[in-house]
Amino acid sequence: MEAEALKFKSDNALRRLPILFVAFSVISAVLMFTFDQSAVSVDDRALISDGVTLSVFVAVALFCAVARFNNKLTAETVISAVVTVGFALRLAYALRYGYFEHQHDVESLKSSGHLSYIYRLSLGQGLPDTNEWQFSHPPLHHYIAAGVVALSKAVGCSEEAAFENIQLLTVLYSTLIIFISAAVFKECGLRGKTLTLSTSIIAFHPGFFILAGSINNDCLSILLSLAAIYMLIKWCKKKTVLNAALIGLFTGLGMMTKFSASLTAVIVAVTVIVKFITDKQRRPSDYLLQTAVFLAVMLPLGMWFQIRNMLLFGQPIGYVAPIGTDSPLYIGDISIVKRILLPFSVRPVGVFADVWSEFNLWTYLLRNSLFNEYSFGNAAAAFFAVICNLCLIAASLAAMMLSIKRKNRIEGASIPIIGLAWTVQVISFIYLNLAYPFGCSMDSRYIMLTPVCGAAFVGVFLQKQCEVYSRLKPVGMLTETVTVLFAVLSAVTFL
């Protein structure tokens, strides 16, 4: 058992992830060119989806069982298994629900939604000649998705099948979020079991399943913002021009996907200022050079579309398409106390969030962060998944407070950055709901970096309590149990 435990603390736990991503990309490409989801009935799609989930789960479970029997169950093996199942769950979700289901602001080809945006680019018609509705968004994701549509049609796919293939792209986006989250956790000093459990929270988080099936620009924006934060953590450890340039690259590309990714620039700015002030061996010239490199990369990528739209349409920087107060989604007539200050709803609510009738931000977010504004078949599993989610949120907040109180620092000075990212996201989210009091403003897709931050703090707590605070061991065991239950219930909800 001791030898097995030592193997589980492998320092190369993420070594297989690049190989796995290549394999997942190949699977997606094969499906793109050989499987026409639009020609499959709804019942058959559900059957295929369940088949993918169950077959991959059984295969992975058997593989891990054999590895354990042969005393070869390492952290590398377990994390590879977790990531593989996470990919399968995302793929299964996208196979079950088409590009027209469970979407935000996609609409028809005749609208100004994301699908129309992608379609016109796939036809080579260039950027929209108006900033109406979703046409006000920058185009990176739309260009990439348009390339998928054009390529699919070029190899003989029908137009419907080509649109379905956009989901294979977003499945890969969402899967990459698992990979980069695991890399962030490793930079946070997590290893072995704690690295596996934190990675499992992201791999099995239902919010990322739904993003995997969403053909709008949300998932790529989250992915690029997370990549920028990962590089920021790397920069804190090794302040090089290359790392500064990569932070600028990912931040700029995020802003070219969705301008709200500019929040990452705030995180970068605060981190650099604090590091400059606290770095006793600082060389001002190095900080100035690397800041200049960051800005030189980030600003052209992130701002060109904003400047274009400002010149063409008079669109303000950070513009949000307006929704009238006559919309059924308007909740500005309800007091801020009931909407934001109270931590719970004064009305009874169901398992699944209802964007049309709810108004309390935190009660809504607790469920919406898992299942968005949609309902799924296994309500009992969903209910207990929500309870587990509440427990994990409480654990992450407690771990955050404990880290601040004891001034714990993780490897790579990651705790301040993770905490800052969480704080910036939450403050901006509260501001959004104050400035735009609509049901749709409460959507968790605007703060989907917070589950990654929360999973990091849960991992930190578990690792610290194992190494330092022995009296907290029962709490740690309970947190581990809740994490495993969360993963299982999340998967079961969609069967």
Side-chain angles (χ1 to χ4, degrees):
M1 288 298 293
E2 185 175 350
E4 187 174 324
L6 290 173
K7 287 182 179 181
F8 200 68
K9 293 183 179 179
S10 168
D11 290 331
N12 298 316
L14 308 184
R15 184 177 57 183
R16 293 179 185 169
L17 295 193
I19 299 172
L20 285 176
F21 184 72
V22 171
F24 299 157
S25 300
V26 170
I27 292 170
S28 298
V30 170
L31 287 173
M32 186 179 295
F33 300 133
T34 61
F35 179 67
D36 186 353
Q37 184 179 344
S38 65
V40 181
S41 69
V42 173
D43 289 341
D44 286 344
R45 276 170 28 201
L47 187 63
I48 292 169
S49 174
D50 290 346
V52 168
T53 300
L54 294 173
S55 60
V56 170
F57 179 79
V58 170
V60 166
L62 287 173
F63 180 80
C64 290
V66 171
R68 183 177 178 83
F69 180 79
N70 292 317
N71 199 27
K72 294 181 178 180
L73 188 65
T74 63
E76 183 179 1
T77 302
V78 176
I79 289 178
S80 297
V82 165
V83 171
T84 300
V85 176
F87 168 72
L89 289 167
R90 285 155 173 75
L91 181 62
Y93 178 89
L95 291 174
R96 182 186 292 264
Y97 301 106
Y99 74 93
F100 50 86
E101 295 179 274
H102 297 173
Q103 302 291 334
H104 288 285
D105 307 325
V106 169
E107 302 301 332
S108 70
L109 294 178
K110 296 181 180 179
S111 71
S112 303
H114 290 289
L115 183 62
S116 177
Y117 198 156
I118 292 167
Y119 184 61
R120 66 174 288 132
L121 292 178
S122 74
L123 297 177
Q125 294 179 356
L127 291 170
D129 51 10
T130 174
N131 68 333
E132 182 180 347
W133 201 31
Q134 302 308 313
F135 285 179
S136 62
H137 280 283
L140 180 59
H141 165 69
H142 302 89
Y143 267 123
I144 298 172
V148 169
V149 171
L151 179 61
S152 299
K153 292 168 73 174
V155 298
C157 294
S158 66
E159 191 169 89
E160 282 292 301
F163 292 148
E164 294 285 6
N165 284 343
I166 299 171
Q167 289 184 304
L168 296 173
L169 177 66
T170 50
V171 164
L172 291 177
Y173 291 165
S174 185
T175 304
L176 272 174
I177 288 173
I178 311 175
F179 286 45
I180 299 177
S181 296
V184 167
F185 301 150
K186 188 176 180 183
E187 287 297 321
C188 287
L190 304 188
R191 63 185 184 274
K193 184 165 63 174
T194 53
L195 176 60
T196 304
L197 287 170
S198 290
T199 303
S200 297
I201 292 174
I202 306 306
F204 290 91
H205 196 292
F208 292 109
F209 304 166
I210 294 171
L211 283 169
S214 301
I215 68 170
N216 67 6
N217 53 359
D218 286 322
C219 197
L220 181 59
S221 173
I222 294 163
L223 170 63
L224 291 168
S225 296
L226 181 60
I229 289 171
Y230 170 69
M231 289 311 307
L232 181 61
I233 293 172
K234 297 285 284 185
W235 177 85
C236 285
K237 182 181 290 187
K238 189 175 183 181
K239 299 177 184 65
T240 65
V241 170
L242 176 60
N243 283 344
L246 288 173
I247 298 169
L249 176 66
F250 290 125
T251 304
L253 291 176
M255 293 165 63
M256 205 196 330
T257 302
K258 193 171 184 178
F259 190 68
S260 58
S262 58
L263 288 173
T264 310
V266 176
I267 299 168
V268 173
V270 173
T271 301
V272 171
I273 291 170
V274 171
K275 291 297 290 184
F276 179 78
I277 293 172
T278 58
D279 186 356
K280 295 180 180 179
Q281 298 179 330
R282 64 180 178 270
R283 295 176 58 185
S285 58
D286 288 346
Y287 276 87
L288 286 173
L289 173 62
Q290 292 174 28
T291 300
V293 169
F294 165 76
L295 292 173
V297 176
M298 182 270 289
L299 287 176
L301 290 172
M303 294 301 297
W304 72 267
F305 187 80
Q306 302 300 317
I307 294 172
R308 169 194 181 268
N309 279 17
M310 182 172 62
L311 294 175
L312 289 178
F313 314 118
Q315 175 179 308
I317 302 297
Y319 170 79
V320 176
I323 304 175
T325 56
D326 58 343
S327 168
L329 292 170
Y330 182 68
I331 54 176
D333 53 344
I334 298 172
S335 72
I336 292 176
V337 173
K338 291 181 179 179
R339 289 196 294 117
I340 297 174
L341 297 182
L342 281 179
F344 54 84
S345 175
V346 295
R347 292 181 184 174
V349 296
V351 175
F352 300 107
D354 184 359
V355 70
W356 301 102
S357 65
E358 295 188 41
F359 52 81
N360 181 265
L361 180 61
W362 311 113
T363 304
Y364 184 85
L365 188 62
L366 176 66
R367 293 126 62 237
N368 178 270
S369 63
L370 299 184
F371 310 116
N372 211 269
E373 59 193 52
Y374 316 119
S375 298
F376 298 95
N378 198 328
F383 172 78
F384 287 107
V386 170
I387 299 300
C388 289
N389 189 39
L390 178 61
C391 293
L392 289 174
I393 291 171
S396 67
L397 292 175
M400 190 187 305
M401 294 301 103
L402 184 65
S403 297
I404 294 171
K405 181 180 178 181
R406 296 181 182 273
K407 298 181 180 180
N408 291 329
R409 289 187 175 272
I410 316 174
E411 188 176 326
S414 302
I415 269 218
I417 296 175
I418 298 298
L420 177 62
W422 183 91
T423 302
V424 168
Q425 285 262 302
V426 171
I427 290 175
S428 69
F429 188 57
I430 293 172
Y431 170 77
L432 174 68
N433 279 272
L434 289 171
Y436 302 96
F438 296 89
C440 54
S441 298
M442 299 191 293
D443 199 291
S444 61
R445 62 198 172 103
Y446 300 120
I447 56 166
M448 282 304 288
L449 284 180
T450 54
V452 180
C453 299
F457 277 107
V458 168
V460 170
F461 168 73
L462 291 174
Q463 187 141 299
K464 286 294 182 182
Q465 65 85 20
C466 288
E467 293 180 353
V468 182
Y469 311 120
S470 58
R471 67 183 182 279
L472 295 177
K473 190 171 183 179
V475 179
M477 293 175 63
L478 179 61
T479 306
E480 292 171 9
T481 302
V482 170
T483 302
V484 173
L485 284 174
F486 175 76
V488 173
L489 291 166
S490 296
V492 170
T493 299
F494 292 89
L495 292 177

